[in-house]
mmCIF file of all heavy atoms in Angstrom:
data_model
loop_
_atom_site.group_PDB
_atom_site.id
_atom_site.type_symbol
_atom_site.label_atom_id
_atom_site.label_comp_id
_atom_site.label_asym_id
_atom_site.label_seq_id
_atom_site.Cartn_x
_atom_site.Cartn_y
_atom_site.Cartn_z
ATOM 1 N N VAL A 1657 -84.978 -201.554 87.859
ATOM 2 C CA VAL A 1657 -86.321 -201.146 87.824
ATOM 3 C C VAL A 1657 -86.875 -201.519 86.472
ATOM 4 O O VAL A 1657 -86.228 -201.361 85.435
ATOM 5 C CB VAL A 1657 -86.379 -199.538 87.983
ATOM 6 C CG1 VAL A 1657 -85.532 -198.809 86.993
ATOM 7 C CG2 VAL A 1657 -87.845 -199.107 87.819
ATOM 8 N N THR A 1658 -88.079 -202.142 86.536
ATOM 9 C CA THR A 1658 -88.684 -202.597 85.221
ATOM 10 C C THR A 1658 -90.119 -202.058 85.220
ATOM 11 O O THR A 1658 -90.786 -201.909 86.199
ATOM 12 C CB THR A 1658 -88.785 -204.120 85.157
ATOM 13 O OG1 THR A 1658 -89.508 -204.620 86.235
ATOM 14 C CG2 THR A 1658 -87.334 -204.725 85.218
ATOM 15 N N VAL A 1659 -90.531 -201.703 83.934
ATOM 16 C CA VAL A 1659 -91.906 -201.174 83.719
ATOM 17 C C VAL A 1659 -92.486 -201.858 82.529
ATOM 18 O O VAL A 1659 -91.737 -202.238 81.611
ATOM 19 C CB VAL A 1659 -91.909 -199.641 83.518
ATOM 20 C CG1 VAL A 1659 -91.362 -198.905 84.820
ATOM 21 C CG2 VAL A 1659 -91.017 -199.219 82.307
ATOM 22 N N PRO A 1660 -93.806 -201.953 82.432
ATOM 23 C CA PRO A 1660 -94.439 -202.565 81.303
ATOM 24 C C PRO A 1660 -94.615 -201.614 80.163
ATOM 25 O O PRO A 1660 -94.821 -200.464 80.363
ATOM 26 C CB PRO A 1660 -95.758 -203.100 81.837
ATOM 27 C CG PRO A 1660 -96.064 -202.111 82.938
ATOM 28 C CD PRO A 1660 -94.772 -201.715 83.574
ATOM 29 N N LEU A 1661 -94.692 -202.182 78.910
ATOM 30 C CA LEU A 1661 -95.130 -201.347 77.783
ATOM 31 C C LEU A 1661 -96.562 -201.957 77.429
ATOM 32 O O LEU A 1661 -96.768 -203.161 77.232
ATOM 33 C CB LEU A 1661 -94.148 -201.585 76.598
ATOM 34 C CG LEU A 1661 -92.939 -200.715 76.471
ATOM 35 C CD1 LEU A 1661 -91.962 -201.052 77.532
ATOM 36 C CD2 LEU A 1661 -92.285 -200.854 75.105
ATOM 37 N N LYS A 1662 -97.481 -201.045 77.369
ATOM 38 C CA LYS A 1662 -98.887 -201.394 77.164
ATOM 39 C C LYS A 1662 -99.479 -200.539 76.087
ATOM 40 O O LYS A 1662 -99.211 -199.354 75.993
ATOM 41 C CB LYS A 1662 -99.717 -201.290 78.435
ATOM 42 C CG LYS A 1662 -99.286 -202.322 79.507
ATOM 43 C CD LYS A 1662 -100.274 -202.236 80.735
ATOM 44 C CE LYS A 1662 -99.823 -203.306 81.764
ATOM 45 N NZ LYS A 1662 -100.804 -203.224 82.926
ATOM 46 N N VAL A 1663 -100.316 -201.176 75.266
ATOM 47 C CA VAL A 1663 -101.080 -200.532 74.234
ATOM 48 C C VAL A 1663 -102.587 -200.914 74.363
ATOM 49 O O VAL A 1663 -102.866 -202.114 74.229
ATOM 50 C CB VAL A 1663 -100.569 -200.874 72.809
ATOM 51 C CG1 VAL A 1663 -101.449 -200.198 71.730
ATOM 52 C CG2 VAL A 1663 -99.098 -200.433 72.693
ATOM 53 N N GLU A 1664 -103.412 -199.930 74.666
ATOM 54 C CA GLU A 1664 -104.795 -200.250 74.878
ATOM 55 C C GLU A 1664 -105.049 -201.332 75.951
ATOM 56 O O GLU A 1664 -105.886 -202.231 75.766
ATOM 57 C CB GLU A 1664 -105.555 -200.602 73.592
ATOM 58 C CG GLU A 1664 -105.440 -199.506 72.540
ATOM 59 C CD GLU A 1664 -106.105 -199.958 71.206
ATOM 60 O OE1 GLU A 1664 -106.413 -201.133 71.047
ATOM 61 O OE2 GLU A 1664 -106.275 -199.065 70.374
ATOM 62 N N GLY A 1665 -104.307 -201.287 77.003
ATOM 63 C CA GLY A 1665 -104.426 -202.192 78.089
ATOM 64 C C GLY A 1665 -103.832 -203.635 77.888
ATOM 65 O O GLY A 1665 -103.769 -204.405 78.827
ATOM 66 N N ARG A 1666 -103.226 -203.812 76.705
ATOM 67 C CA ARG A 1666 -102.617 -205.112 76.400
ATOM 68 C C ARG A 1666 -101.119 -204.995 76.547
ATOM 69 O O ARG A 1666 -100.457 -204.067 76.051
ATOM 70 C CB ARG A 1666 -102.956 -205.488 74.980
ATOM 71 C CG ARG A 1666 -102.363 -206.897 74.489
ATOM 72 C CD ARG A 1666 -102.885 -207.258 73.226
ATOM 73 N NE ARG A 1666 -102.533 -206.209 72.208
ATOM 74 C CZ ARG A 1666 -101.422 -206.291 71.466
ATOM 75 N NH1 ARG A 1666 -100.486 -207.276 71.761
ATOM 76 N NH2 ARG A 1666 -101.063 -205.405 70.594
ATOM 77 N N LEU A 1667 -100.505 -205.965 77.315
ATOM 78 C CA LEU A 1667 -99.037 -206.023 77.479
ATOM 79 C C LEU A 1667 -98.344 -206.307 76.109
ATOM 80 O O LEU A 1667 -98.598 -207.319 75.535
ATOM 81 C CB LEU A 1667 -98.697 -207.104 78.522
ATOM 82 C CG LEU A 1667 -97.176 -207.222 78.830
ATOM 83 C CD1 LEU A 1667 -96.724 -205.979 79.574
ATOM 84 C CD2 LEU A 1667 -96.897 -208.421 79.600
ATOM 85 N N THR A 1668 -97.458 -205.340 75.757
ATOM 86 C CA THR A 1668 -96.694 -205.519 74.537
ATOM 87 C C THR A 1668 -95.184 -205.737 74.702
ATOM 88 O O THR A 1668 -94.510 -206.027 73.914
ATOM 89 C CB THR A 1668 -96.927 -204.304 73.568
ATOM 90 O OG1 THR A 1668 -96.430 -203.163 74.275
ATOM 91 C CG2 THR A 1668 -98.372 -204.198 73.251
ATOM 92 N N GLY A 1669 -94.692 -205.350 76.002
ATOM 93 C CA GLY A 1669 -93.297 -205.535 76.243
ATOM 94 C C GLY A 1669 -92.945 -205.057 77.661
ATOM 95 O O GLY A 1669 -93.861 -204.805 78.480
ATOM 96 N N SER A 1670 -91.672 -205.115 77.892
ATOM 97 C CA SER A 1670 -91.176 -204.706 79.240
ATOM 98 C C SER A 1670 -89.825 -204.022 79.040
ATOM 99 O O SER A 1670 -88.958 -204.424 78.231
ATOM 100 C CB SER A 1670 -90.940 -205.894 80.087
ATOM 101 O OG SER A 1670 -90.437 -205.498 81.409
#
Side-chain angles (χ1 to χ4, degrees):
V1657 55
T1658 62
V1659 296
L1661 275 69
K1662 292 185 178 181
V1663 175
E1664 297 180 352
R1666 182 173 60 87
L1667 180 69
T1668 60
S1670 178

